[in-house]
Structure formats: C-alpha cells, structure tokens
Amino acid sequence: MTVDEREKRALELFQQGYNCCQAVAMTFSDVLGMDPQQVARLASGFGGGMGRMREVCGTVSGMTMVAGALIPADNVSDKSAKTANYALVQDFADKFRTRNGSIICRELLGLSKPEGTPVPQDRTPEYYRKRPCGELCAIAAGIVARYMESQK
C-alpha cells in the first residue's frame, strides 16, 4: 500500500466507526501480522486518549503499536532493540506533535478537561464535522507509512 492509500484507509476506518487507535493500527494489520479484527480488539481501549480519558491521542497509541512490529523489542535482554523501538516511538510522536501541536487528546480537541464519562459520543454527521480525529488518523498513518517507505 502507498502512503496515500494508508492515509485514506485510516480515515475510512475512523469514518466507519472505529476509534482513532483502531483506525491507525488496523491500517497496518499486514505489518502487525494480524487479522484486522484482532487488531481492532487489541486497540479498542486506546480510543479517546485511552478509554476516553483524553490523555495520549489514540492515533499516537496506534503508531506505537505498529512501531512494535517494525522494530520489535520482544527479547527482554536486548537493550539495543528496546532503545531502537523507543527511538522510533519518540520519532513518530515528535513528527505528530510538530504537525499538530500536541500528542494529548484533550489538547487536540480543545478541551480544558475530559468529559468525565466513558460513554462515547454518537457518530453523527455533526460529530465528524467538529472533530479533527479522522484527519489525525490519516496524518498518523502517513507518518508510519513514510517511515516504512524510507526503509525500503
């Protein structure tokens, strides 16, 4: 998939009703080596800045999940792998922050505090008009896809 195709796919998944983390991570289910529905299950709690607490943006969590497949750090004694993985996560986050001003969900949404409820909002046309989340999903997918292109 090209960078443009991955960006479009992440936006489409968000518009289908998946949360921001699911939309980004599912876009890279091939990289994760998992069925998209398995990815959706694993990523389900990261939407809304982790369970709608409005902390780290779910798109950044999605990029972080994919970073684990791109540069695995699954051997607990391999400090260099862990360092390389963390460096990639920080690079993804830095690129996202530079483009969007923050990696924090509530800041990206212009909220002074979380809404205080775990209940997600209905996905109405108004919801999609006022939220930057779909665009943020595409941006995050693009950051990861461009990194992958640079590694070819």
Side-chain angles (χ1 to χ4, degrees), residues 19-39:
N19 73 39
C20 44
C21 183
Q22 289 171 319
V24 172
M26 289 170 70
T27 297
F28 296 93
S29 61
D30 58 321
V31 175
L32 293 167
M34 298 172 71
D35 175 88
Q37 286 314 113
Q38 291 174 308
V39 177

Side-chain angles (χ1 to χ4, degrees), residues 47-133:
M50 294 189 168
R52 217 163 175 270
M53 293 187 294
R54 305 299 185 202
E55 297 295 336
V56 173
C57 176
T59 64
V60 176
S61 296
M63 290 191 297
T64 300
M65 292 175 79
V66 179
L70 295 171
I71 300 180
D74 51 357
N75 179 341
V76 297
S77 62
D78 188 347
K79 187 175 180 179
S80 64
K82 190 179 284 192
T83 300
N85 173 270
Y86 289 173
L88 182 59
V89 169
Q90 290 181 17
D91 180 59
F92 285 170
D94 286 344
K95 284 179 170 58
F96 188 89
R97 185 184 295 108
T98 297
R99 175 104 184 247
N100 301 294
S102 180
I103 65 167
I104 303 300
C105 176
R106 71 180 162 278
E107 293 172 3
L108 293 164
L109 295 179
L111 302 173
S112 59
K113 60 183 171 70
E115 296 91 339
T117 175
V119 179
Q121 289 182 301
D122 292 333
R123 297 285 186 95
T124 63
E126 176 62 21
Y127 173 92
Y128 289 111
R129 270 195 299 278
K130 70 179 185 176
R131 292 288 173 127
C133 307

Side-chain angles (χ1 to χ4, degrees), residues 3 70-71 84 88 91-92 95 143-152:
V3 171
L70 295 171
I71 300 180
L88 182 59
D91 180 59
F92 285 170
K95 284 179 170 58
I143 289 168
V144 175
R146 281 184 194 82
Y147 169 79
M148 289 171 49
E149 287 288 317
S150 77
Q151 299 303 299
K152 288 184 177 178

